[in-house]
């Protein structure tokens, strides 16, 4: 089990050379269990907020967010297979025009990893994200969108 809290203690009234300070705070809880047949179950939930103001202290961006996932993973010999599902959202609390940060969605990832050598891994991953984000309308994109991605990666540990 794990739990934590993050607060960057930023002073949102500071603006230097066009760069704004963001106050970000969130808490998280997570757990990892070893299930029968050597299957790992890993989960985490995070909830927090982020704030950016102008020099007068008026919120320019004021968002609440949450994200939670659960993952099952099984390793045998040089192979690992994992499946992960996630739910996430951002709630826009400010009144900044033409800056809608609301979003709501779910995602799923399927992954296969193969250990080529002790420090060397290759991985194939498939991701699907189903989300609703009103700000896409600014770019003439659909508000509701399903994104799919294949990804091949290699990792070397030294």
């Amino acid at each position: 089990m794990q739990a934590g809290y993050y607060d960057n203690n930023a002073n949102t009234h500071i603006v230097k050379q066009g760069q704004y300070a963001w106050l970000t705070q969130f808490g998280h809880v997570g757990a990892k269990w070893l299930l029968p047949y050597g299957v790992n179950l890993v989960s985490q939930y995070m909830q927090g907020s982020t704030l950016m103001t102008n020099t007068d202290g008026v919120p320019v961006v004021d968002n609440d967010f949450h994200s939670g996932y659960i993952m099952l993973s099984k390793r045998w010999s040089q192979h690992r297979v994992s499946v992960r599902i996630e739910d996430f959202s951002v709630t826009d609390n400010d009144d900044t025009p033409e800056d809608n940060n609301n979003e709501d969605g779910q995602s799923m990832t399927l992954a296969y990893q193969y250990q080529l050598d002790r420090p060397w891994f290759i991985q194939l991953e498939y991701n699907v994200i189903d989300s609703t984000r009103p700000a896409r309308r600014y770019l003439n994109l659909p508000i509701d969108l399903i994104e799919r991605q294949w990804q091949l990666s290699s990792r070397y540990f030294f």
Side-chain angles (χ1 to χ4, degrees):
M1 301 291 288
Q2 64 179 3
Y5 179 74
Y6 176 84
D7 183 343
N8 69 348
N9 293 312
N11 179 348
T12 61
H13 296 253
I14 297 174
V15 179
K16 290 185 179 178
Q17 297 176 344
Q19 298 296 311
Y20 291 75
W22 288 74
L23 174 63
T24 301
Q25 303 166 316
F26 63 87
H28 67 91
V29 293
K32 181 177 180 180
W33 294 277
L34 181 59
L35 302 176
Y37 306 105
V39 174
N40 282 303
L41 184 144
V42 181
S43 64
Q44 183 181 47
Y45 179 76
M46 177 189 324
Q47 185 171 356
S49 63
T50 188
L51 174 69
M52 180 184 78
T53 67
N54 62 20
T55 54
D56 297 327
V58 176
V60 177
V61 176
D62 180 4
N63 295 333
D64 293 329
F65 59 88
H66 89 263
S67 177
Y69 77 86
I70 187 166
M71 180 178 73
L72 294 171
S73 185
K74 166 73 175 159
R75 180 178 181 183
W76 71 98
S77 183
Q78 295 162 287
H79 311 271
R80 177 181 293 276
V81 174
S82 303
V83 60
R84 172 182 157 140
I85 57 172
E86 181 174 357
D87 182 78
F88 58 91
S89 75
V90 176
T91 303
D92 191 336
N93 300 314
D94 62 71
D95 295 323
T96 304
E98 300 300 315
D99 186 37
N100 187 341
N101 291 302
N102 288 300
E103 184 170 15
D104 185 57
Q106 296 77 39
S107 69
M108 181 190 66
T109 301
L110 300 171
Y112 170 74
Q113 183 182 71
Y114 181 76
Q115 185 174 7
L116 296 166
D117 198 355
R118 181 159 170 73
W120 194 276
F121 296 84
I122 190 164
Q123 181 165 311
L124 178 64
E125 206 172 84
Y126 177 67
N127 302 298
V128 178
I129 303 172
D130 183 358
S131 64
T132 301
R133 183 170 173 81
R136 288 189 189 113
R137 134 176 16 124
Y138 306 144
L139 302 172
N140 294 320
L141 296 172
I143 292 171
D144 297 312
L145 189 61
I146 297 176
E147 301 169 86
R148 295 174 179 87
Q149 177 188 44
W150 284 97
Q151 185 169 267
L152 179 63
S153 62
S154 178
R155 295 172 64 183
Y156 183 83
F157 294 89
F158 53 90

